[in-house]
Amino acid sequence: MAAGLRDAKFDGWITLIGAEPEPPYERPHLSKGYLLGSVPREKLWLRPRDQYGAELMLGETAVELELAAREVHLASGRSVSWDVLCIATGSEARRLEGFEDALHLRELSDAGEVLRLLETRSELHIVGAGFIGCEVAAAATQRGCRVHVYEALEQPLARVLGPEVGAYLAAVHRAHGVELQLGVARLPPLSGPVLVAVGSRPRTELAERAGLGVDRGIEVDEIGRTSAPGAFAAGDVTRFHSPLYGTSIRVEHFQTAQRQGYAVGRAMAGGGEPYDEVPWFWSDQYDVNLQYAGAGLPWDEIVVRGELGRPPFAVFYMAGGKLVGVAGVNDHHTVGRARHVMQRRAELTREQMADPGFDLRRVLT
């Protein structure tokens, strides 16, 4: 957001208020390279502190917004006035009743706790086989930890990737020694360290108390405007209108939060264009690099490129004959090119999708 403001030639005062004591950092590494030791702490920061073009107020929690007075009240008792506001409070890990003492992984401090556990304990129970659960399972297993995973769905990541790719990932984890229990309706008694990884929820309480429109996220338009004059919102706390998809979507992945935040910053400066990029994210699990492009929309048909289960391969997700998403395993070229196809609203036939020899870029000319 601050970068978007500055790139749009805004030369006024910018204040970034954050509850965490750390400067902004790249969260995707927390469940991947940071736990494996391949991405050290000092490599997480987005940029040096003196290069934000803004005052950083770290370790300060906003507790109240006065929209009429244009003030933010902080837990410390301080208040900050604003001319234009952006709410980027993000998401927090969902909790499970009965697991109040369990670990969660959302912030750097959480990752530090998980890392210390992996360095000192030999067994870990993980509730949830979504991206965080699967990535932590992979990292813990690679560090020599015995891992048990419990998932309510019939396959890992089935809601996003479908049962076919989910079954492949289940086989990968089991081949590496993970004890994976699927379709779990009731958790057994668990002894020892437990990590709960059952998704996240947007931190909308501040916006709700202020009377802003909220529906499974702060409601904003295509340039990030909320229902109040001068108040914008960005990142995974928002449900934003996407001109590309013609509907409002909420995306929890880092790159979308970063890119949408940049676009909202430009809009706050009085310029910019609507954010309409195809969302993209990646996941590393053992020697598997999984990439996905799309907004996680429902699909009614898949087309497989290559042989499912033998990387490299890709799966195209279609709804009503239209391409709405693509996942690739060790096949970043296909995902990247398919993303451009979706961005340009170009047409692909099922035969072109299924043929590994067909260069998807040909339909863009």
Side-chain angles (χ1 to χ4, degrees), residues 7-218:
D7 286 354
K9 310 304 181 186
F10 176 77
D11 59 2
W13 191 263
I14 301 174
T15 303
L16 296 181
I17 303 170
E20 293 183 73
E22 311 290 349
Y25 54 88
E26 294 194 48
R27 294 182 189 273
H29 293 303
L30 298 185
S31 56
K32 306 178 183 72
Y34 183 70
L35 296 183
L36 288 169
S38 59
V39 179
R41 183 185 178 92
E42 61 271 16
K43 295 293 185 182
L44 294 174
W45 317 130
L46 290 177
R47 59 179 65 185
R49 289 185 62 142
D50 60 353
Q51 293 182 16
Y52 283 94
E55 176 192 8
L56 299 184
M57 294 182 64
L58 304 176
E60 293 274 12
T61 302
V63 294
E64 206 71 41
L65 295 178
E66 284 197 48
L67 296 177
R70 300 205 171 194
E71 285 189 334
V72 180
H73 300 296
L74 309 179
S76 63
R78 301 174 66 183
S79 295
V80 179
S81 60
W82 51 272
D83 297 309
V84 182
L85 170 74
C86 181
I87 305 169
T89 44
S91 300
E92 63 184 14
R94 291 187 182 277
R95 266 57 178 173
L96 282 182
E97 185 178 352
F99 289 86
E100 287 75 14
D101 296 328
L103 294 171
H104 299 83
L105 180 51
R106 189 69 188 174
E107 300 178 348
L108 181 54
S109 58
D110 300 328
E113 288 188 52
V114 175
L115 181 58
R116 286 189 290 273
L117 184 149
L118 297 183
E119 291 172 339
T120 59
R121 305 294 289 269
S122 60
E123 189 171 29
L124 175 65
H125 297 271
I126 300 175
V127 180
F131 286 103
I132 296 296
C134 284
E135 289 171 358
V136 174
T141 299
Q142 289 171 274
R143 294 187 69 102
C145 194
R146 184 180 178 188
V147 178
H148 312 262
V149 177
Y150 310 87
E151 169 58 51
L153 300 179
E154 294 304 314
Q155 298 295 347
L157 295 162
R159 286 197 181 97
V160 178
L161 303 177
E164 299 86 358
V165 178
Y168 163 73
L169 291 173
V172 168
H173 280 277
R174 284 172 171 146
H176 282 85
V178 173
E179 184 180 303
L180 179 61
Q181 297 186 36
L182 300 170
V184 177
R186 189 182 186 90
L187 287 167
L190 304 179
S191 59
V194 177
L195 171 75
V196 171
V198 291
S200 65
R201 56 177 297 277
R203 291 183 171 125
T204 59
E205 293 83 0
L206 196 65
E208 290 178 47
R209 289 197 298 271
L212 295 176
V214 173
D215 176 17
R216 296 163 294 164
I218 302 173

Side-chain angles (χ1 to χ4, degrees), residues 8 94 185 194 337 342 348:
R94 291 187 182 277
V194 177
R337 292 167 186 174
M342 289 186 286
L348 278 174

Side-chain angles (χ1 to χ4, degrees), residues 107-354:
E107 300 178 348
L108 181 54
S109 58
D110 300 328
E113 288 188 52
V114 175
L115 181 58
R116 286 189 290 273
L117 184 149
L118 297 183
E119 291 172 339
T120 59
R121 305 294 289 269
S122 60
E123 189 171 29
L124 175 65
H125 297 271
I126 300 175
V127 180
F131 286 103
I132 296 296
C134 284
E135 289 171 358
V136 174
T141 299
Q142 289 171 274
R143 294 187 69 102
C145 194
R146 184 180 178 188
V147 178
H148 312 262
V149 177
Y150 310 87
E151 169 58 51
L153 300 179
E154 294 304 314
Q155 298 295 347
L157 295 162
R159 286 197 181 97
V160 178
L161 303 177
E164 299 86 358
V165 178
Y168 163 73
L169 291 173
V172 168
H173 280 277
R174 284 172 171 146
H176 282 85
V178 173
E179 184 180 303
L180 179 61
Q181 297 186 36
L182 300 170
V184 177
R186 189 182 186 90
L187 287 167
L190 304 179
S191 59
V194 177
L195 171 75
V196 171
V198 291
S200 65
R201 56 177 297 277
R203 291 183 171 125
T204 59
E205 293 83 0
L206 196 65
E208 290 178 47
R209 289 197 298 271
L212 295 176
V214 173
D215 176 17
R216 296 163 294 164
I218 302 173
E219 296 177 300
V220 298
D221 65 11
E222 65 275 7
I223 63 171
R225 290 176 296 204
T226 70
S227 55
F232 292 72
D236 48 343
V237 73
T238 66
R239 179 171 293 276
F240 63 90
H241 180 77
S242 168
L244 182 66
Y245 294 103
T247 188
S248 291
I249 59 175
R250 178 174 170 262
V251 181
E252 298 182 358
H253 303 295
F254 177 80
Q255 194 203 48
T256 297
Q258 186 180 43
R259 297 291 301 155
Q260 187 219 7
Y262 178 86
V264 171
R266 292 183 63 85
M268 292 170 67
E273 299 292 334
Y275 177 77
D276 65 349
E277 296 181 12
V278 175
W280 169 87
F281 68 84
W282 59 280
S283 175
D284 283 339
Q285 301 170 39
Y286 314 105
D287 58 350
V288 169
N289 172 253
L290 171 67
Q291 297 194 20
Y292 175 88
L297 300 177
W299 69 93
D300 52 34
E301 180 185 359
I302 67 167
V303 176
V304 178
R305 171 175 283 217
E307 184 178 344
L308 200 153
R310 297 189 62 181
F313 68 88
V315 176
F316 295 82
Y317 302 88
M318 302 176 68
K322 299 289 185 180
L323 180 63
V324 296
V326 60
V329 174
N330 296 350
D331 193 0
H332 64 280
H333 289 300
T334 295
V335 174
R337 292 167 186 174
R339 187 183 183 204
H340 287 300
V341 170
M342 289 186 286
Q343 189 72 54
R344 298 269 294 274
R345 297 180 173 88
E347 297 291 333
L348 278 174
T349 67
R350 291 168 178 78
E351 291 73 24
Q352 290 168 339
M353 295 179 201

